[in-house]
Amino acid sequence: NIPSASREAKRKVSGDYVPQKESATGWLSKQLCHPELVSGSSPRKIIPSPENINDIPSASRTAQRHVKGGCVPRKAAFTLAEVLITLGVIGVVAALTLPTLLAKYQDKVLETQRKKAETILANGYKKMLADNEVFKITELPLYTSCLETMDLDCIKKEHKSVFVIIKDGVSGIDSWINLPEKYKDIDDTDLISPWQSGGVYTFVTPDGFVYGMDLEELSNTDSNNFRIYADVNGNKNPNTAGKDLVGFNISEDGRVYEVSDLACTPSNPSGCKTEEGCLSVRRCWTIGNNTYCSHSWSNGRCAANPF
């Protein structure tokens, strides 16, 4: 007559209910928290108290928590071994990936510094052209006056008029500046430091960048452009051309080109390995309506043009 009665409830009513076996822990948990659910329980059944729970050999830790904490269910947690294994895996992954991440970060920082150095030079020489109201660097006093007598004071004056310079001098390897004596080329070969020459005018800007102008290259009357070297992080590693040491070719119209290959110079155009470098160091003349250039980029190299 009970519509909602389950099959198990009907078996209880009919008297043929056979309780399923359960563990001692499960039975003890019911006995401690819900004795009415235990088959055969009676008012005379002694329920252990917190004082005598430890006297029951089969009492589990869960059952003790039921008595002491009021039937609070046990929370899942990691074991010490699981935590140590996880930490070990994290350590191994970090050891494998951290050097690569640091190298990429350093390359990105150096790239940003090179772009900043290029911008500083471009703005400075454009301002020098504008202040003197000329369109070619060969028409600047830097060419027409300073280089005739290699007047260092004249060179300093021209640069200080457009750059913020905190220190300057003729030699890069000196007591007032800290620069490496050796560099590595792109192919990991030893490279002669551009600062070793006594004919390099060196100046330092407030951001710590060191610039060097090869006066011998600049005094070459057959060239209408010149080279500026820049070290963007001083004596710190990696001290490698194309990373923290970079060359900039200043073209006739004052534009600045970054050249990673330091062998690419106005006096040695054949040493240029990129088209941009070749175009930045070649010399061009305009005769009538025609323009002639000393070199051009052809078949992957900077080749001299026949005249």
Side-chain angles (χ1 to χ4, degrees):
N1 298 327
I2 303 176
S4 61
S6 64
R7 181 178 302 175
E8 185 175 272
K10 292 180 180 179
R11 293 178 62 202
K12 286 184 179 180
V13 175
S14 61
D16 60 348
Y17 176 74
V18 180
Q20 297 181 354
K21 294 183 179 180
E22 60 180 335
S23 63
T25 301
W27 181 88
L28 184 58
S29 299
K30 289 182 180 180
Q31 179 69 28
L32 295 177
C33 298
H34 303 284
E36 69 279 4
L37 299 180
V38 181
S39 177
S41 60
S42 65
R44 293 180 299 176
K45 182 71 69 173
I46 299 176
I47 300 177
S49 64
E51 288 76 16
N52 61 5
I53 185 64
N54 293 323
D55 297 333
I56 304 176
S58 62
S60 66
R61 189 174 303 174
T62 303
Q64 293 184 29
R65 292 179 68 243
H66 280 322
V67 175
K68 296 179 180 180
C71 298
V72 179
R74 182 181 181 183
K75 295 181 179 179
F78 293 105
T79 64
L80 178 60
E82 291 172 336
V83 173
L84 293 178
I85 292 173
T86 303
L87 292 177
V89 172
I90 294 174
V92 171
V93 173
L96 293 175
T97 59
L98 192 58
T100 302
L101 293 176
L102 291 177
K104 290 183 177 180
Y105 172 75
Q106 184 186 51
D107 290 343
K108 190 65 178 179
V109 170
L110 293 177
E111 180 184 355
T112 302
Q113 291 174 327
R114 293 195 304 270
K115 293 297 182 183
K116 182 179 179 180
E118 181 178 351
T119 301
I120 291 173
L121 290 176
N123 291 339
Y125 287 113
K126 285 180 181 178
K127 187 176 187 302
M128 188 180 291
L129 290 170
D131 290 347
N132 289 275
E133 298 181 351
V134 296
F135 298 97
K136 297 181 179 180
I137 59 173
T138 52
E139 299 172 349
L140 290 171
L142 184 66
Y143 265 81
T144 59
S145 300
C146 303
L147 295 178
E148 289 183 359
T149 58
M150 293 300 292
D151 188 346
L152 182 60
D153 291 334
C154 178
I155 295 173
K156 287 183 177 181
K157 178 183 176 181
E158 291 299 317
H159 280 83
K160 288 183 177 180
S161 66
V162 294
F163 295 105
V164 179
I165 298 176
I166 58 175
K167 293 180 180 180
D168 63 350
V170 178
S171 179
I173 305 297
D174 207 338
S175 58
W176 60 271
I177 194 170
N178 185 22
L179 286 173
E181 297 183 3
K182 294 182 179 180
Y183 289 90
K184 291 288 186 180
D185 206 345
I186 301 175
D187 56 1
D188 203 34
T189 58
D190 290 334
L191 181 68
I192 299 176
S193 172
W195 319 107
Q196 293 285 3
S197 173
V200 176
Y201 169 61
T202 307
F203 60 94
V204 184
T205 53
D207 47 29
F209 295 172
V210 183
Y211 302 89
M213 173 185 291
D214 192 337
L215 298 181
E216 182 180 354
E217 187 77 50
L218 188 59
S219 63
N220 185 358
T221 56
D222 292 334
S223 176
N224 59 355
N225 47 64
F226 60 93
R227 164 68 59 85
I228 293 284
Y229 300 103
D231 191 316
V232 297
N233 67 349
N235 205 28
K236 299 178 181 178
N237 288 329
N239 296 331
T240 302
K243 291 189 175 182
D244 54 345
L245 175 66
V246 63
F248 296 102
N249 287 338
I250 316 300
S251 65
E252 185 178 17
D253 58 0
R255 286 183 294 178
V256 178
Y257 298 89
E258 178 183 339
V259 181
S260 300
D261 185 7
L262 300 187
C264 176
T265 63
S267 60
N268 183 34
S270 60
C272 301
K273 297 180 180 179
T274 63
E275 182 178 4
E276 184 180 56
C278 179
L279 298 180
S280 69
V281 300
R282 67 181 182 176
R283 187 179 183 185
C284 297
W285 305 267
T286 300
I287 302 176
N289 296 326
N290 298 320
T291 299
Y292 304 92
C293 295
S294 60
H295 292 73
S296 61
W297 185 256
S298 177
N299 297 325
R301 64 188 186 91
C302 192
N305 291 323
F307 293 102

